[in-house]
Amino acid sequence: EVQLVESGGGLVKPGGSLRLLCAASGFTFNTYNMNWVRQAPGKGLEWVSSISSSSHYIYYADSVQGRFTISRDNAKNSLFLQMNSLRVEDTAVYYCARDDVGPDYWGQGTRVTVSS
Amino acid sequence: QTVVTQEPSLTVSPGGTVTLTCASSTGAVTSGFYPNWFQQKPGQAPRALIYSTSNNHPWTPARFSGSLLGDKAALTLSGVQPEDEAEYYCLLYYGGVQVFGGGTKLTVL
């Protein structure tokens, strides 16, 4: 059974940092691209970043470019999102999702709140 | 800034048929945008329904179908059930970048 479990969310002040983790199981992690997608309270889905299976290709939304860094550890079946210089508008539930010609399996999300 | 546009809301009667659309600010949506569709109910994570325009995931009910309709991607629900009331999102690929539509709130009434 494919499982994606996010962790690392929490309350942080503007300008602060957080590192999110997505633990994957139930599939061959190192053969799939992975995504981070977020959803602000009461708002729609926003794609944040993608990383290819070998980390060779990495993409970011303009809204997080230069502040967020996606990475993965295929030996530990783990996906990461390092978030720096956080802003109030980064407040959201962050989901990781496996990408197979589109995000097919999703985690339940981890909540990030940026507030003073 | 690329914008993907969906109908904000639609209403359908149980047993009816409804089509949701997904347009791109860059022009016509083609299969090369690999249109995906997702369903999200309150308090839940999104669930993938359709990938690459018209392919159903193994768990997607047969009443959901995807297509290209004119210059847009489309999601059609046939024989709508009360449990289909949800928010629906499309996703388009622009090379390595992905953009979600704003979502369509589907009411079954």
Side-chain angles (χ1 to χ4, degrees):
Chain A
E1 179 195 4
V2 173
Q3 283 200 325
L4 298 167
V5 180
E6 304 92 339
S7 61
L11 174 63
V12 62
K13 289 181 167 49
S17 298
L18 275 180
R19 190 186 197 213
L20 305 185
L21 163 69
C22 172
S25 61
F27 64 102
T28 307
F29 183 71
N30 63 11
T31 65
Y32 286 89
N33 301 340
M34 297 295 295
N35 298 303
W36 286 101
V37 176
R38 69 184 180 182
Q39 187 168 35
K43 301 296 184 182
L45 301 174
E46 180 187 13
W47 171 79
V48 173
S49 182
S50 295
I51 186 168
S52 63
S53 56
S54 62
S55 303
H56 189 72
Y57 298 102
I58 287 176
Y59 303 96
Y60 298 99
D62 288 346
S63 57
V64 306
Q65 180 79 49
R67 300 187 299 121
F68 289 12
T69 302
I70 191 172
S71 62
R72 63 191 295 162
D73 184 337
N74 285 344
K76 295 183 178 179
N77 290 347
S78 296
L79 175 71
F80 305 98
L81 186 67
Q82 177 66 44
M83 304 187 297
N84 298 331
S85 303
L86 281 161
R87 304 168 180 168
V88 170
E89 54 265 33
D90 295 319
T91 295
V93 174
Y94 285 73
Y95 297 100
C96 72
R98 191 181 81 166
D99 195 307
D100 188 14
V101 204
D104 55 0
Y105 288 90
W106 295 63
Q108 285 304 303
T110 186
R111 186 173 301 274
V112 172
T113 302
V114 185
S115 174
S116 54
Chain B
Q1 178 83 354
T2 301
V3 177
V4 176
T5 301
Q6 300 181 242
E7 298 85 0
S9 63
L10 292 170
T11 300
V12 62
S13 299
T17 297
V18 64
T19 296
L20 290 63
T21 67
C22 176
S24 171
S25 63
T26 63
V29 176
T30 67
S31 59
F33 288 82
Y34 303 100
N36 277 248
W37 291 91
F38 304 87
Q39 178 192 67
Q40 188 180 34
K41 296 181 178 179
Q44 296 184 14
R47 182 174 76 135
L49 294 174
I50 303 286
Y51 65 97
S52 294
T53 306
S54 58
N55 296 279
N56 286 27
H57 288 283
W59 53 80
T60 303
R63 62 182 180 273
F64 292 85
S65 62
S67 65
L68 294 176
L69 201 61
D71 58 357
K72 301 178 183 180
L75 174 70
T76 299
L77 287 70
S78 305
V80 171
Q81 301 296 306
E83 60 264 30
D84 297 334
E85 182 162 296
E87 193 84 23
Y88 291 84
Y89 295 93
C90 68
L91 173 70
L92 300 180
Y93 282 73
Y94 296 84
V97 172
Q98 303 173 35
V99 182
F100 282 95
T104 296
K105 180 173 175 54
L106 183 67
T107 300
V108 181
L109 203 55

